[in-house]
Amino acid sequence: DIKTQTESSSEAVSVTVIPTSVSPTRDLHFHLIHFNLNVKLTVTPEKVTTIFGQSTVEFECVKATDLILIHSNKLNYTTLDNKHIARLIASGDGSTPSIKSSWLHLKTQYLVIQLNGKLSRGRYQLYTEFTGELADDLAGLYRSEYEEEGVRKIVATSQMHPTHARKTFPCFDEPAMKAVFYITLIHPIGTVALSNVCLNVSFSDIFNTTIDGVAVTQTKFEPTKKMSTYLLAIIVSDYTHLYATQGDVIRIWGRRAAIEQGQGNYALNVTGPVLDFFQSYYNISYPLSKSDQIALPDFYFGAMENWGLVTYRETNLLYDPVTSSIRNKETTATIIAHELAHMWFGNLVTLRWWNEVWLNEGFASYVSYLGADHAEPTWSVKDLILLDDVHRVFSVDALVSSHPLSSKEDSIILPDQISEQFDVISYSKVHRHQKDLILKLFKSSFFFLQGYLNHFAYSNMIGNDLWQHLEMAVEANNVSLPHPVYDIMNRWVLQMGFPVVTIDTSTGKVSQKHFLLDPESNVTLKSPYNYEWLIPVRWMKSGVVQRNIWWLMEKEVVNVDMKSGSSWVLANINVTGYYRVNYDLGNWERLLSQVALILFSVAQLVSTNLALRTTSYLLVETEYIPWQSALNNLDYYYLMLDRTEVYQPMQDYMKKLVTPLFLHFKNITSEWTHVPDRLTDQYNQVNAIRMACTTGVTECQKLTTTWFKQWMDRPQHNLIHPNLRSAVYCSAMAAGDEAEWEFGWSQLKNATVASEASKLMSALACSNNTYLSYTLNPAMIRKQDATSVITSVASNRVGQGLAWDFVREQWEYMFTQYGVGSFSFASMISGVTARFSTTAELQQLKEFEREHSAAGFGSATLALQQALERTTANINWLQQNKQEVLDWFNSQTGQEMH
């Protein structure tokens, strides 16, 4: 029930709203036809005014109703001549019932319009006039500020995803309610207005006037394609751009100084090849006539796939060849590929509701590597999927507080619940789901994606629609599967977590079990499949890959071929399946080079000693992927033990391991004067310096402090190679004092390249001089960066406690005053609690939950539950393993490692 006050009566009115009619998506009272949106913006450097808007939504009523629910949030409505804040008009000669009352329901963010009678079938228009603040909250239509040549400038820009279009204008703000948008912007003369589509060149109405003393003009855009509200983009700025014509117009927009310095060149060069790749991959032409991409000084997300006008943080779109690193360059390529992949998979064909975010994000995450690989074939970025995505998602999905990829529609209703869905599970889990199976089907049916995208173009779909089209590919190409596609895939989509497959090579027995980080934790979320999976196992014996995929379809079976004797067995080759594999001790002994053992020790499936022994091979290893895999897994040991007596023996051991790697890169780079050729070697050179300095290799520490001092002596001449700056800055800040910190802060404030500013921002947290309080002052730290600063401080063993105290003290202020568009509350909770491993910290976390339960935790609700679960698991692990780990590291000190 929605209970509120009417305008004419002091009595509470109860309006019954059944779940199916709360959202037009499920009930389909209305079919949208188009939105007319007229927005006036009078933005000057001296004055920021409110937004003035006029909105007309035309819809078709397909089911009689006396209640209209349209989303609205933080808008102030003008009372019209009918004495109400909305006017309902029938198209043609029809009539409409009058409006009885209207009110705003804050929790669901609805403008509720109660009618005196029922709407009959037909077309109608709903007209409103409203104002809103052009705030700096990074949500809806908001302002972003920057300084250029001493002049303060403002960009009016937008972030509608996932539920912020309603903050810009009243709308049916749901992905299934697609419409055509007619956008007109009134903006200051001298600024440029951008939206999803091109300007309407046939529009000839000259409009020049003044509003609040500001001379303004009018820009009218072509009608958009039929699309969802969350993909709408509106931007007014004095930016300039680069462009190229490659079938369609490609433009890169940014601050004038950044574009003139060439920071947009790489993005322009990479966009064309990526678009060409996806047009070929999907076998469908790019759906729009232009592709704009724009870099914003203030932006909550990394990027947003608005159809035809993609928005980015500056660090993710702009690349400066003088100061940006190869990692920055790879990030630009892969994020551009991710966003452009959405132009088809997400924008042309869209999920029906937010309970299946993976339909948009998971596929785009996977094919982004393919698009980037096409644009930069020498990088072999496809090899990085395992490190960048799989390791991240495994750690979260091993918790009982994880969640399935798909949930019930009616379980995801409120905006905070929607925001929670955009986590590592939705982005990174799906493209590991039975990669062997899906790729096999994609390759076997050239027209699969084309047929699927054409069938649902300008419409919406659910997960089962994807499985039906995959099943069609199976049947058309005579692909042999043990079960129908939906039966295989639903077990991975409708169940949280993943299995561990245990192979006993002495008997051939193979079993599966739900993998949990804490095996003693209690799984309360029921599964429709009792946490059993249909598992494709690609495996090899003694280096020979078995020809066919073997399917594990029961809890426990015997595969006599896996009874190996003295031979070794390796399953889930290249981690193409979304599961872990464990073996009997004899087979593990034969596979000691496999770094993945470390995680099994955390989950108490193998002994800690056996897991740690696998790291000894790093002494002679120089390749990036093995090193990074080991460091990812050893990170847990550091988090648990770097505040205990185990820390120094562990540091001594790691120092021994990394010293040969440090000397290797010193040698192949001719005393650090050259850059390695391969992308992965450049990445591992960074690992070598970072780990050598943090573990106390004297030569490394002298090297980084010398480089940094040379820069301090000549601030205009930074000779530190961009690839190495993050590691060098951090090392020098950690070893330095206030002078180094103040120099780093001054360089941050004067940085003109966003990627350089980002490196300095992280490095400042490596010092004992924390700057947590700056995150509450946007003039010191931009709102978009506040969360990353807090988590960077927390990642420093000295700063972790300070960051946790700061979050506890400032939570209410941050949560109520900054809001969803400024802080990533989920990542902040995860970051500041990552080291929690004592009963005292668990108690503090419970008290924090209790103290703020009334206000709630918004999009961090799930992250808080995961923090509680992780802390409990960490306490148990530490109690059981700390002494054994200490003894093992002590046993390595002064000994030759094998």
Side-chain angles (χ1 to χ4, degrees), residues 725-787:
R725 288 184 182 182
S726 289
V728 172
Y729 293 174
C730 182
S731 175
M733 295 276 191
D737 54 26
E738 188 174 348
E740 281 75 11
W741 196 93
E742 291 294 342
F743 176 77
W745 175 252
S746 68
Q747 290 299 311
L748 167 62
K749 298 310 293 179
N750 294 324
T752 59
V753 178
S755 59
E756 178 71 2
S758 180
K759 293 180 181 70
L760 287 161
M761 201 178 304
S762 296
L764 288 168
C766 299
S767 167
N768 294 337
N769 185 0
T770 68
Y771 58 128
L772 291 165
S773 61
Y774 292 7
T775 62
L776 301 181
N777 183 351
M780 304 291 276
I781 297 293
R782 290 184 181 274
K783 287 186 175 184
Q784 67 169 11
D785 298 317
T787 302

Side-chain angles (χ1 to χ4, degrees), residues 618 620 865:
L618 294 174
V620 294
Q865 295 307 310

Side-chain angles (χ1 to χ4, degrees), residues 17 23 113 117 208 255 294 349 417 461 504 729:
V17 182
S23 166
I113 300 172
N208 288 310
R255 294 177 290 109
I294 188 166
V349 175
Q417 294 173 324
M461 48 70 189
D504 188 335
Y729 293 174

Side-chain angles (χ1 to χ4, degrees), residues 166-178:
R166 64 193 67 173
K167 182 175 171 285
T168 305
F169 62 105
C171 55
F172 294 106
D173 198 12
E174 304 192 4
M177 299 293 279
K178 290 189 171 184

Side-chain angles (χ1 to χ4, degrees), residues 300 416-417 419-420 804 807-808 811-812 814-816 819-820 823-829 844-865 868:
Y300 177 66
D416 284 339
Q417 294 173 324
S419 296
E420 277 190 316
W804 171 232
V807 168
R808 285 190 292 171
W811 178 263
E812 185 175 351
M814 292 187 293
F815 190 68
T816 57
V820 296
F823 276 79
S824 176
F825 294 110
S827 64
M828 187 163 63
I829 291 293
Q844 289 175 2
L845 198 53
K846 289 179 177 178
E847 289 174 1
F848 175 73
E849 180 185 35
R850 186 164 50 250
E851 182 181 352
H852 300 287
S853 59
F857 298 93
S859 59
T861 302
L862 181 58
L864 181 61
Q865 295 307 310
L868 286 163

Side-chain angles (χ1 to χ4, degrees), residues 23 52 136 187 241 283 332 351 366 466 513 591 706 810 823 836:
S23 166
F52 297 88
D136 63 348
H187 56 99
H241 68 277
N283 203 25
T332 294
L351 52 77
Y366 172 64
L466 181 62
K513 183 181 180 181
L591 290 172
T706 299
Q810 302 294 337
F823 276 79
F836 281 14

